[in-house]
Amino acid sequence: MSRSIAVIGAGPSGFYAVDGLVRALPDARIDIIDRLPCPYGLVRYGVAPDHQGTKAVQRQFERLLAKPIVRFIGNVEVGRDVAIADLAALYDALIIATGCSRDRRLGIPGEDLAGVVGSGAFVGWYNGHPDFAELDPLRPDMHTVAVIGAGNVAIDVARVLAKTADEMVKSDIAPHAAAAIAGLDLTEISLVARRGPADANFTGNELAEMSRLAAFQATVQSEVLDGVTAPDSDPAPERMRKAKNLELLRSFAAADTPRRLRFQFWGMPVALHGVDGKVRELELADTRHPERRWRQPADLVVTCIGYDPSPPVGLLLERGHIAHDDGRVRDLPGAYVVGWAKRGPTGVIPTNRADSLALVKVVVDDLAAPPASEKAGPGGLDALLSARGVRIVDSAAWRRIETAENAAGQAEGRPRVKLGTWRLLEQAAHGEP
Ligand SMILES: Cc1cc2nc3c(=O)[nH]c(=O)nc-3n(C[C@H](O)[C@H](O)[C@H](O)COP(=O)(O)OP(=O)(O)OC[C@H]3O[C@@H](n4cnc5c(N)ncnc54)[C@H](O)[C@@H]3O)c2cc1C
């Protein structure tokens, strides 16, 4: 009997799971369900718009969508349009790949002032995510920015803010974001890290890019680098990454420049201070000597300190991710979890591949046992969604969105111009004027 599997979440971990499933179970029927009308998760809405090479992985996922046993069911939010229990009753197995999308909070006074925004929302805004079309995080009177965090997301945010319109011309940045950023006159972007330079999670290529910006000069206070080396106790690849980072940081000029992108270490945010409800200053404590505090100007604060999962309602959470044993969801038999929903917000796109392929082995082993009853599978989902009046975006409808975006991009010499609102996406998906 052909088995039916629903993969919830069409990001990298969902697609890598589909990849494993089509190989291991060529007779299966696989639905990949996403709340958005567009597939690819954070590859489309997280990866920076000027890093098109990284987004090329979408082509690999696109080939999976073309397989006859795979269907894309977009515009269906599990927990809103269909309950996880409904899906468990319809499919032989569920793979939950819903990622982590809720911005973690700093938990300090002043966090709710205007001008303080989480990176999930900010990155979604500049990447044209329809949930953030109305965010409007920038004001022309903003001159100083504090980006809180010491990883690649912080680097992305700082770089996108620092780049000129010319430097972004080949990107797929959302037009509203490109216009708002071009309207700013920023003089300082600080990247604020709680720990020291040897502990930063930046990768070499991303850090190196900071020295090639047209309008901003990367700087770091040389004292924080004095005598710092990558710890001998680290495994060799990690030691090499840190050593390269330190070398790059040492190469950044400490000179005063009109527009600087400043790497700050050992700074723990303790409060945000505002005027008229808008953030104006960031108060920091020295992580090593917390009694030493200072304030610095910050008209915009973007927090890049990680994300929490937002799993379909009703699933047990444990230490920031869905509770599971070897990928089997603890409180829902027949359900499995992969990717960021399983591990929390760590790991790059390829990390999810190994994780998803290992999970598929577990699913396939479990499915080897004869089923207790025959499940309705994809036909059952279609009937249920149509009875509820949910208008899905299938692969053909998604291709209409993609065609419209690519055509708009071609006219401007850019990879694509994204349709950035729910309404525009819906119109393009269904061929409406
Ligand atoms: C800002 C940012 C930049 C990044 N840049 C890079 C980079 O340059 N290179 C790199 O290798 N990695 C990068 N990463 C990491 C990479 O994006 C992640 O490793 C990867 O996307 C995690 O995959 P995932 O499938 O678990 O989650 P996601 O990619 O988040 O996919 C989850 C999917 O589930 C859907 N979903 C959520 N809830 C529901 C629901 N209830 N019902 C239906 N669907 C739902 C979402 O719409 C989404 O499509 C970046 C991450 C971020 C945040």
Side-chain angles (χ1 to χ4, degrees):
M1 188 197 312
S2 117
R3 295 309 195 89
S4 58
I5 299 142
V7 177
I8 308 167
S13 63
F15 270 104
Y16 285 128
V18 171
D19 193 17
L21 289 169
V22 296
R23 288 164 206 267
L25 301 170
D27 297 328
R29 289 160 299 152
I30 303 161
D31 282 348
I32 181 159
I33 301 171
D34 206 286
R35 62 179 288 272
L36 293 167
C38 312
Y40 313 139
L42 286 170
V43 178
R44 181 174 160 97
Y45 288 121
V47 170
D50 57 336
H51 279 181
Q52 289 299 314
T54 308
K55 290 182 192 268
V57 70
Q58 289 178 179
R59 284 202 282 278
Q60 200 180 319
F61 300 153
E62 200 178 301
R63 286 197 286 276
L64 291 168
L65 283 185
K67 304 259 179 206
I69 63 168
V70 179
R71 301 194 311 170
F72 174 61
I73 312 284
N75 204 34
V76 173
E77 182 168 323
V78 177
R80 182 193 65 185
D81 301 313
V82 57
I84 190 101
D86 295 332
L87 295 177
L90 289 172
Y91 291 84
D92 293 304
L94 303 182
I95 297 181
I96 299 168
T98 46
C100 281
S101 57
R102 276 185 305 132
D103 276 307
R104 282 194 191 138
R105 286 174 61 85
L106 284 166
I108 60 172
E111 196 163 4
D112 294 317
L113 288 165
V116 184
V117 57
S119 62
F122 193 73
V123 168
W125 170 75
Y126 67 55
N127 269 321
H129 191 302
D131 281 354
F132 304 107
E134 307 293 325
L135 188 72
D136 200 18
L138 305 183
R139 297 185 317 269
D141 66 343
M142 289 173 163
H143 302 292
T144 51
V145 183
V147 180
I148 316 267
N152 282 342
V153 174
I155 292 251
D156 281 351
V157 166
R159 188 184 67 250
V160 167
L161 282 167
K163 276 192 169 178
T164 60
D166 273 357
E167 287 175 293
M168 293 298 279
V169 82
K170 296 280 180 219
S171 78
D172 65 353
I173 188 168
H176 57 246
I181 293 170
L184 291 177
D185 179 18
L186 296 180
T187 51
E188 178 162 291
I189 302 173
S190 296
L191 277 122
V192 181
R194 282 160 61 116
R195 296 198 288 164
D199 298 312
N201 283 323
F202 312 130
T203 49
N205 288 344
E206 277 64 29
L207 194 56
E209 248 187 296
M210 299 305 236
S211 63
R212 300 193 293 267
L213 297 170
F216 275 78
Q217 180 151 11
T219 73
V220 62
Q221 255 187 319
S222 55
E223 305 90 87
V224 295
L225 295 165
D226 284 348
V228 180
T229 54
D232 285 339
S233 53
D234 279 358
E238 191 53 8
R239 206 168 53 241
M240 275 166 63
R241 182 185 66 78
K242 288 182 176 175
K244 186 170 176 215
N245 277 357
L246 290 168
E247 191 186 315
L248 284 162
L249 286 167
R250 287 199 172 91
S251 73
F252 293 166
D256 251 357
T257 61
R259 293 181 206 280
R260 58 181 187 158
L261 204 150
R262 187 158 67 113
F263 285 82
Q264 262 183 296
F265 295 98
W266 303 115
M268 185 167 56
V270 289
L272 292 154
H273 303 278
V275 177
D276 297 334
K278 297 173 192 159
V279 69
R280 285 284 177 228
E281 284 183 328
L282 166 66
E283 184 175 345
L284 292 161
D286 185 324
T287 318
R288 299 158 300 179
H289 310 283
E291 69 288 354
R292 279 190 213 147
R293 289 187 173 206
W294 70 99
R295 290 181 180 201
Q296 62 188 51
D299 304 320
L300 171 69
V301 176
V302 186
T303 59
C304 307
I305 55 168
Y307 311 94
D308 286 322
S310 42
V313 226
L315 292 178
L316 184 69
L317 286 181
E318 186 179 70
R319 294 192 309 276
H321 47 69
I322 295 174
H324 68 92
D325 300 299
D326 274 342
R328 293 180 182 92
V329 173
R330 198 166 301 153
D331 56 349
L332 188 64
Y336 304 81
V337 61
V338 275
W340 275 21
K342 176 184 177 193
R343 307 189 311 272
T346 58
V348 287
I349 296 164
T351 319
N352 300 294
R353 185 166 188 275
D355 183 26
S356 293
L357 295 183
L359 190 270
V360 166
K361 285 206 173 72
V362 175
V363 177
V364 170
D365 281 354
D366 289 356
L367 286 179
S373 61
E374 195 169 339
K375 302 276 181 97
L381 179 68
D382 292 347
L384 190 145
L385 292 174
S386 129
R388 291 183 184 172
V390 179
R391 202 177 189 197
I392 69 158
V393 172
D394 60 11
S395 297
W398 152 243
R399 272 195 293 275
R400 281 192 285 276
I401 296 176
E402 199 180 27
T403 304
E405 292 186 341
N406 290 348
Q410 212 167 20
E412 293 185 17
R414 301 172 56 197
R416 66 188 69 75
V417 177
K418 282 186 192 155
L419 298 171
T421 67
W422 287 95
R423 183 81 199 110
L424 286 172
L425 289 164
E426 195 183 337
Q427 283 171 332
H430 303 298
E432 293 164 359

